[in-house]
Amino acid sequence: MSKNDMVYVMNVDWNWIKQRPHFIAELLNDKFEVHVMYQHRYRRKGLQQRINSTLDIKPIYVIPRGDRYKFLSEINKKIKCSTIRKRIKKTNAGIIYLTFPDQFDVISDDYKGTVIYDCMDNHPAFVKDRKQKNKIIDSEQTLVHRADFIFTSSEHLKWELIDRYGNDIEGKIYLVRNGYSGNIIEKEKTKPTTSNNLYIFTYFGTISSWFNFDYILRSLKEFPDIKYELFGPLADTHIPKHERIHYYGTVEHDKLLDCVRNSDCLIMPFIINDIIESVDPVKLYEYINFNKNILTSYYEEIDRFDPFVYFYNSYDEFRKQIDLLKSNRKLKYSESERYSFLKENSWGSRVNCINTIIDQKRI
């Protein structure tokens, strides 16, 4: 068995907006031979063309649109499982890195290598159907007890797993938070190149049902001198039509600075629910790197961002923070605070932590 080969199974398309699995896979490849596998998404909107010459990236081709039908979905599941198992056998991989509960099927009964479960979301909370939710819980329970190491992206998520699956897994759960690319943008490069007639709030990231368009629309009625610019893929939602809401779709990660440079404030207007409470938002790290004021809904997991952001718990607080931001354009945090935070919270530091944990099993 090859200790240097790792089969890394993603639950998102490699060409989807860049997220935790992409960053971690790329950096783990500095130490391991990482073989990335993911289900190819046919005709999915919002995909990017991501080129990487060092990673071994293998899309899995299944029956198009088959996941919409129970019978075809089961066939697709078998195709994915068989394809990944063949890859594990071919590479003789000593590590299987999984990122979603139902991926436990790829672990054969006689596999002797290391199994890692990277849990980055409260997966059952995404499902409304009780039968389907229970199925995900059953799968995750099997996986967490089989895994040698469990990484969670947030403290809330760590205790969610322990409460759900028992205290006996606590000893193998490690908190590995999210991070940012690791390249600290020079302060001068973040300065606006033009002056704005309107105060610009900008958001980038996936836009889904948890995006609070109600607050956005109410604030537009109340403040005629603000506008919102949105970047990122849509997932099961739509953008309300308004002359001061501008939606630009998905952009490449390295183009984000150009998109936000002239913004006055970066926002994270999430509706707090069971999904959001478990999230350690990548965008807050990146927002700090862009050296802008930040306005976000509050929940306990992100309390540690307090020195860098303006929080709100209600629409009244949201409105008051907008008033404050417009009247006082001074950045909330200093350059030294920004630099220290970013140095400690890069994806590189997260992967160094992962490598250290994996090495424990080798000793």
Side-chain angles (χ1 to χ4, degrees), residues 208-269:
S208 191
S209 57
W210 54 77
F211 198 93
N212 198 334
F213 280 114
D214 177 50
Y215 282 16
I216 300 297
L217 293 171
R218 288 172 69 181
S219 67
L220 287 168
K221 287 182 179 180
E222 194 161 351
F223 298 96
D225 57 347
I226 68 173
K227 74 173 180 177
Y228 293 91
E229 296 188 342
L230 313 178
F231 299 85
L234 295 177
D236 301 320
T237 192
H238 69 279
I239 307 294
K241 291 184 178 181
H242 194 285
E243 61 182 5
R244 284 182 282 128
I245 297 178
H246 297 171
Y247 174 59
Y248 298 94
T250 303
V251 297
E252 299 294 334
H253 191 267
D254 58 3
K255 301 292 192 302
L256 285 175
L257 176 59
D258 293 332
C259 297
V260 306
R261 190 192 309 277
N262 294 317
S263 300
D264 296 291
C265 181
L266 304 177
I267 59 168
M268 195 177 81

Side-chain angles (χ1 to χ4, degrees), residues 165-357:
Y165 303 119
N167 293 332
D168 57 322
I169 66 171
E170 184 175 351
K172 59 181 178 180
I173 293 187
Y174 300 84
L175 176 63
V176 180
R177 294 192 185 278
N178 289 327
Y180 79 105
S181 66
N183 299 315
I184 300 178
I185 301 170
E186 295 176 23
K187 182 179 179 180
E188 289 298 314
K189 292 183 178 180
T190 66
K191 290 183 176 180
T193 56
T194 62
S195 58
N196 303 323
N197 294 324
L198 300 175
Y199 191 95
I200 300 175
F201 291 96
T202 301
Y203 171 89
F204 64 78
T206 301
I207 303 169
S208 191
S209 57
W210 54 77
F211 198 93
N212 198 334
F213 280 114
D214 177 50
Y215 282 16
I216 300 297
L217 293 171
R218 288 172 69 181
S219 67
L220 287 168
K221 287 182 179 180
E222 194 161 351
F223 298 96
D225 57 347
I226 68 173
K227 74 173 180 177
Y228 293 91
E229 296 188 342
L230 313 178
F231 299 85
L234 295 177
D236 301 320
T237 192
H238 69 279
I239 307 294
K241 291 184 178 181
H242 194 285
E243 61 182 5
R244 284 182 282 128
I245 297 178
H246 297 171
Y247 174 59
Y248 298 94
T250 303
V251 297
E252 299 294 334
H253 191 267
D254 58 3
K255 301 292 192 302
L256 285 175
L257 176 59
D258 293 332
C259 297
V260 306
R261 190 192 309 277
N262 294 317
S263 300
D264 296 291
C265 181
L266 304 177
I267 59 168
M268 195 177 81
F270 288 172
I271 299 170
I272 307 306
N273 55 28
D274 290 344
I275 297 171
I276 298 301
E277 283 182 329
S278 295
V279 171
D280 180 42
V282 173
K283 63 177 52 57
L284 287 186
Y285 299 93
E286 296 183 327
Y287 281 4
I288 293 169
N289 198 20
F290 289 132
N291 202 40
K292 303 287 184 181
N293 274 320
I294 302 163
L295 176 61
T296 176
S297 49
Y298 175 83
Y299 57 100
E300 187 176 358
E301 189 66 39
I302 61 172
D303 184 72
R304 61 199 175 85
F305 286 95
D306 182 64
F308 301 94
V309 309
Y310 290 90
F311 284 123
Y312 66 87
N313 286 290
S314 64
Y315 178 74
D316 187 55
E317 290 182 6
F318 183 69
R319 177 181 55 79
K320 288 178 179 178
Q321 295 291 37
I322 291 177
D323 259 332
L324 176 62
L325 285 160
K326 287 170 53 193
S327 61
N328 178 18
R329 303 293 184 103
K330 184 179 178 181
L331 194 63
K332 184 176 183 180
Y333 47 93
S334 68
E335 178 61 15
S336 61
E337 288 172 324
R338 170 178 172 261
Y339 186 84
S340 296
F341 177 87
L342 292 173
K343 286 290 288 183
E344 295 173 1
N345 290 282
S346 68
W347 283 117
S349 68
R350 306 304 192 228
V351 172
N352 286 341
C353 177
I354 290 173
N355 284 333
T356 300
I357 294 167

